[in-house]
Amino acid sequence: MARDMSDKEILKMELEQLKKEVNTPRTPVSANCADTITFVEGMLPNDPLIKGVPDDKNPYKGDKGGCIIT
Amino acid sequence: MCQHVESTEINCLLCKNVRLLICLCSPFRCRSLPAQRKIYMRSPPIPEMATQEVQLNETLAHLKTESETLKSKLEEERAKLHDVELHQVAEKVEGLGQFVMKTRRTLKGHGNKVLCMDWCKDKRRIVSSSQDGKVIVWDAFTTNKEHAVTMPCTWVMACAYAPSGCAVACGGLDNKCSVYPLSLDKNENLAAKKKSVAMHTNYLSACSFTNSDMQILTSSGDGTCALWDVESGQLLQSFHGHAADVLCLDLAPSETGNTFVSGGCDKKANVWDMRSGQCIQSFETHESDINSVRYYPSGDAFASGSDDATCRLYDLRADREVAIYSKESIIFGVSSVDFSLSGRLLFGGYNDYTINVWDVLKGTRVSILFGHENRVSTLRVSPDGTAFCTGSWDHTLRIWA
């Protein structure tokens, strides 16, 4: 566990990790951002928190529902 | 204790009034919050060293320089692909209108700070846990309490609903994650059916079921995350790589594969492969503890919220941070973050009792929500995106829509 490791061991662990990470395949930000935007625009019409939900369909607006007392 | 102990008395950075015993070469903790946070000394005085220690420090220095060189190389590689900012690409996107989000339900019943909550897949039930050891299952539509369990420990920092809706998992200062099957019979004693699944050597900070009721992923103050089999309690995989307490985790949306992201007190957010236990990517741009991480709905990015008062968006394919959500007027830490269904909105619960709503693409704040009377400790959007729930140190949960 990290708590029981000496500084040296933690550094060694970090170093191993960094060596692996330097070689990770990466793609340009512009391409990824464009993808993200397309994704969001596609999903936007179905997002209830943005487009809103008609009051009669929204379980949170209107009466609480209440309890039935027998 | 190591040889470098000095009983220096200073004030705790969090609660300001408790005196501490400090070990000068390792992190210390405040006695009033035994496991909540690890606080690092800013600049410890250097005691006299023997020759052995001088040699040790030379190797340490050597490792440090190598580490720094690799880090700069990594930054170089990442910078090469940083050709544009997200908000620049998003300039043509239509702006969002005004938002009217209000508290629609207030769930009262906890006797102390609410620390964590989770939605059930039926979009209606919620499980929440608090400092006094109580775990409550609510019906969010009617605000009725359906189940209540008292844990044998206080500070239940993590709770999660099983995908089937038939069980909840929770844990905290007991260093364990326990699963309670939920029974329809109100008279049945839930505590009797408890099953201890995970065992860590320090507090449990977060837990989550994977796609089934059979496996649980946990993160802990001992610096590791672990994957467990619920039935047998067996450790299936452990994840080492954080240099300090791990505070949060989130699983990738099921369509995109077997990975998860974790954030910790070492300011790093790590992305892990669940099968091999390897850390695939690591991001260290925050300036303080990362309290919350959440995957983007597409699975190609994730957001993080930190004590440095910012939320940041990291793109996994570009392997870098692509947006920061911050304002000079916001100085309190973020305790939890979540996205709306489309990924256009990012909700952040802050320690200044408010919720800030950010436009993910444009990087601007679209709304600020008030209502809680103490810090917001947890925030989750419901599975169908119609509402989100917040839990707070003011003992209540609120549903916003």
Side-chain angles (χ1 to χ4, degrees):
Chain A
M1 312 297 162
R3 185 177 308 265
D4 306 325
M5 293 163 76
S6 71
D7 281 344
K8 189 166 164 201
E9 283 165 22
I10 293 185
L11 273 173
K12 271 204 192 141
M13 190 168 73
E14 275 185 21
L15 217 75
E16 288 302 313
Q17 185 56 35
L18 282 167
K19 284 183 192 153
K20 283 184 219 149
E21 281 182 29
V22 178
N23 298 322
T24 327
R26 293 178 191 87
T27 48
V29 175
S30 48
N32 297 326
C33 287
D35 265 350
T36 309
I37 294 177
T38 330
F39 174 83
V40 173
E41 308 244 271
M43 305 269 294
L44 209 56
N46 300 326
D47 189 336
L49 283 169
I50 297 183
K51 289 298 172 195
V53 176
D55 279 356
D56 51 349
K57 293 224 175 72
N58 189 334
Y60 297 109
K61 293 191 183 155
D63 282 332
K64 263 205 226 177
C67 313
I68 301 170
I69 303 172
T70 53
Chain B
M1 294 279 199
C2 74
Q3 308 91 302
H4 297 134
V5 165
E6 256 191 14
S7 57
T8 310
E9 291 191 307
I10 68 167
N11 291 340
C12 169
L13 294 168
L14 271 185
C15 66
K16 304 283 182 245
N17 55 13
V18 175
R19 306 283 172 93
L20 305 173
L21 194 67
I22 302 170
C23 167
L24 295 174
C25 64
S26 63
F28 64 85
R29 59 188 63 257
C30 169
R31 270 196 236 109
S32 68
L33 291 173
Q36 265 259 295
R37 287 287 185 271
K38 224 180 197 182
I39 309 158
Y40 289 84
M41 285 274 274
R42 310 283 170 206
S43 50
I46 304 168
E48 286 190 1
M49 288 185 259
T51 11
Q52 245 188 350
E53 295 192 30
V54 172
Q55 282 176 352
L56 177 67
N57 281 343
E58 280 175 353
T59 341
L60 264 178
H62 173 71
L63 280 174
K64 272 201 181 117
T65 23
E66 237 198 286
S67 180
E68 294 303 317
T69 333
L70 271 180
K71 275 190 189 162
S72 349
K73 176 131 198 282
L74 192 57
E75 274 319 298
E76 250 182 68
E77 293 290 319
R78 282 174 167 166
K80 280 186 201 160
L81 297 164
H82 187 203
D83 43 1
V84 77
E85 299 278 345
L86 173 58
H87 62 87
Q88 287 169 320
V89 185
E91 250 158 41
K92 306 167 246 126
V93 177
E94 209 184 293
L96 293 166
Q98 268 294 15
F99 278 96
V100 180
M101 263 181 257
K102 296 199 292 198
T103 303
R104 303 288 173 180
R105 300 280 186 275
T106 306
L107 306 178
K108 296 190 188 174
H110 276 294
N112 213 318
K113 310 177 175 64
V114 178
L115 301 174
C116 185
M117 56 86 38
D118 191 18
W119 287 89
C120 177
K121 286 223 165 36
D122 71 0
K123 308 155 210 162
R124 171 168 186 158
R125 286 184 180 70
I126 289 178
V127 63
S128 63
S129 64
S130 78
Q131 186 197 342
D132 62 357
K134 287 256 185 343
V135 174
I136 301 181
V137 177
W138 315 77
D139 176 340
F141 293 1
T142 61
T143 76
N144 288 338
K145 299 180 197 45
E146 301 206 336
H147 299 94
V149 181
T150 307
M151 292 275 286
C153 67
T154 56
W155 288 91
V156 187
M157 292 177 249
C159 63
Y161 227 117
S164 66
C166 298
V168 293
C170 47
L173 284 190
D174 58 352
N175 301 357
K176 293 194 279 205
C177 184
S178 312
V179 176
Y180 292 85
L182 295 175
S183 158
L184 287 171
D185 180 357
K186 301 281 174 192
N187 295 327
E188 199 161 355
N189 183 7
L190 284 184
K193 295 228 161 151
K194 164 177 149 174
K195 193 187 198 97
S196 285
V197 173
M199 286 289 295
H200 278 280
T201 54
N202 211 315
Y203 65 92
L204 191 85
S205 52
C207 64
S208 174
F209 282 86
T210 59
N211 294 332
S212 75
D213 282 17
M214 290 295 100
Q215 292 182 348
I216 283 192
L217 192 58
T218 58
S219 67
S220 164
D222 64 14
T224 67
C225 300
L227 182 65
W228 310 81
D229 177 86
V230 173
E231 200 52 51
S232 59
Q234 202 189 2
L235 173 66
L236 298 171
Q237 184 66 262
S238 73
F239 306 90
H240 296 259
H242 278 286
D245 306 22
V246 186
L247 297 178
C248 50
L249 59 83
D250 189 37
L251 276 143
S254 39
E255 307 82 49
T256 55
N258 291 315
T259 58
F260 74 94
V261 60
S262 65
C265 288
D266 56 358
K267 312 177 207 167
K268 284 213 211 127
N270 290 342
V271 182
W272 308 84
D273 178 323
M274 269 165 59
R275 273 173 292 211
S276 63
Q278 290 299 316
C279 173
I280 319 175
Q281 284 168 287
S282 176
F283 304 90
E284 192 174 351
T285 58
H286 270 294
E287 292 160 22
S288 187
D289 301 3
I290 298 180
N291 295 316
S292 171
V293 286
R294 191 73 66 212
Y295 261 96
Y296 200 69
S298 67
D300 292 322
F302 70 92
S304 58
S306 157
D307 276 347
D308 66 7
T310 66
C311 300
R312 293 172 199 238
L313 186 70
Y314 298 89
D315 189 305
L316 295 170
R317 291 160 305 178
D319 189 38
R320 62 170 295 121
E321 171 194 295
V322 291
I324 306 185
Y325 306 99
S326 66
K327 264 179 124 67
E328 268 193 44
S329 53
I330 301 177
I331 54 171
F332 283 82
V334 189
S335 61
S336 53
V337 294
D338 203 355
F339 288 102
S340 68
L341 203 65
S342 62
R344 184 67 194 269
L345 297 177
L346 175 69
F347 299 96
Y350 288 70
N351 293 342
D352 62 0
Y353 315 177
T354 66
I355 296 138
N356 287 303
V357 187
W358 301 90
D359 180 332
V360 172
L361 302 179
K362 296 202 183 267
T364 53
R365 179 173 67 183
V366 294
S367 188
I368 175 169
L369 303 172
F370 300 94
H372 278 296
E373 292 160 21
N374 206 321
R375 64 163 80 173
V376 180
S377 53
T378 177
L379 188 158
R380 296 293 286 261
V381 173
S382 78
D384 59 353
T386 47
F388 68 94
C389 179
T390 53
S392 160
W393 281 19
D394 68 5
H395 309 188
T396 68
L397 291 117
R398 282 171 186 249
I399 315 263
W400 307 76

